Amino acid sequence: AQKVTQAQTEISVVEKEDVTLDCVYETRDTTYYLFWYKQPPSGELVFLIRRNSFDEQNEISGRYSWNFQKSTSSFNFTITASQVVDSAVYFCALITGSSNTGKLIFGQGTTLQVKP
Amino acid sequence: EPEVTQTPSHQVTQMGQEVILRCVPISNHLYFYWYRQILGQKVEFLVSFYNNEISEKSEIFDDQFSVERPDGSNFTLKIRSTKLEDSAMYFCASRVGGFQPQHFGDGTRLSIL
């Protein structure tokens, strides 16, 4: 079965704090792709990052970084020095290599509130 | 930067009425999708469309739903006889191919009264 679990329903931090959003995935496929999307209060879904199962290198983009660990089936997302504009729902998602259609399987999402 | 556009942004419909949600995917994309997000819940896959036919559909996508690509640019989702539980945000997405990221429209909020 393919599944994405985001155990943290809501996180609240004060501006400038670092915060990590957890994502654990399940798949039997050896080839798969992991994604993070951001959903700000305005409601749209914004693509943040894609990672394939053969590339375990961590990635940093400005204040954002991602830690992919196949050994624990996790793809965690860290925001350094959080800002109020980071307040949003963040979704982790999976596409399995056996999918002919490339449909995304989403986690439940983590609501991040950054307070000034 | 090209984007997926959806219309209308908000649709209010009486239960039992038909509704058509419209999407214009990114022009060079080949794969098209509809997803649904009930308020406060996760985003759920409804249907994928490639080469002018449905390639996969979820259990949610029953006989009340249909999709169409009537011309080279539009991609529509029709719900024939809406129910209260169809109230949700509906997202259209497209991707160019391979396992490239899907790009989402801003969504249509469907409210069934």
Side-chain angles (χ1 to χ4, degrees), chain A residues 11-37:
Chain A
I11 301 175
S12 182
V13 299
V14 176
E15 208 169 19
K16 297 183 185 173
E17 282 185 25
D18 298 347
V19 58
T20 295
L21 310 181
D22 297 334
C23 172
V24 173
Y25 61 91
E26 291 177 36
T27 178
R28 290 183 180 168
D29 288 6
T30 54
T31 302
Y32 50 89
Y33 296 80
L34 296 162
F35 300 79
W36 277 93
Y37 283 85

Side-chain angles (χ1 to χ4, degrees), chain A residues 8 10-22 36 63-66 76-83 86-88 90 110-115:
Chain A
Q8 303 151 308
E10 289 185 28
I11 301 175
S12 182
V13 299
V14 176
E15 208 169 19
K16 297 183 185 173
E17 282 185 25
D18 298 347
V19 58
T20 295
L21 310 181
D22 297 334
W36 277 93
R63 296 184 297 108
Y64 295 172
S65 62
W66 291 268
N76 296 338
F77 173 29
T78 297
I79 302 174
T80 303
S82 59
Q83 300 176 0
D86 295 326
S87 297
Y90 291 86
T110 297
T111 300
L112 174 65
Q113 185 179 34
V114 181
K115 296 178 182 175

Side-chain angles (χ1 to χ4, degrees), chain B residues 21-80:
Chain B
L21 309 183
R22 302 181 191 280
C23 170
V24 179
I26 296 173
S27 61
N28 64 331
H29 285 191
L30 301 176
Y31 297 81
F32 313 113
Y33 305 84
W34 284 101
Y35 292 83
R36 180 182 82 174
Q37 184 183 30
I38 294 171
L39 186 63
Q41 297 187 22
K42 70 176 178 181
V43 181
E44 300 173 290
F45 168 76
L46 288 178
V47 66
S48 59
F49 193 86
Y50 171 71
N51 201 25
N52 283 320
E53 60 183 21
I54 290 174
S55 46
E56 185 176 354
K57 57 185 180 180
S58 72
E59 292 174 358
I60 303 168
F61 195 89
D62 61 23
D63 291 344
Q64 294 299 314
F65 290 87
S66 61
V67 290
E68 200 176 40
R69 189 156 160 82
D71 52 42
S73 58
N74 291 286
F75 180 50
T76 62
L77 173 69
K78 184 195 293 188
I79 309 175
R80 280 191 196 79

Side-chain angles (χ1 to χ4, degrees), chain A residues 49-62:
Chain A
I49 190 171
R50 179 188 76 153
R51 175 65 77 218
N52 75 56
S53 53
F54 299 108
D55 182 2
E56 283 195 76
Q57 270 194 327
N58 291 331
E59 180 152 342
I60 298 174
S61 176

Side-chain angles (χ1 to χ4, degrees), chain B residues 71-96:
Chain B
D71 52 42
S73 58
N74 291 286
F75 180 50
T76 62
L77 173 69
K78 184 195 293 188
I79 309 175
R80 280 191 196 79
S81 179
T82 49
K83 307 189 232 352
L84 292 176
E85 54 264 37
D86 293 327
S87 295
M89 180 76 94
Y90 289 80
F91 289 103
C92 174
S94 69
R95 68 181 173 96
V96 61

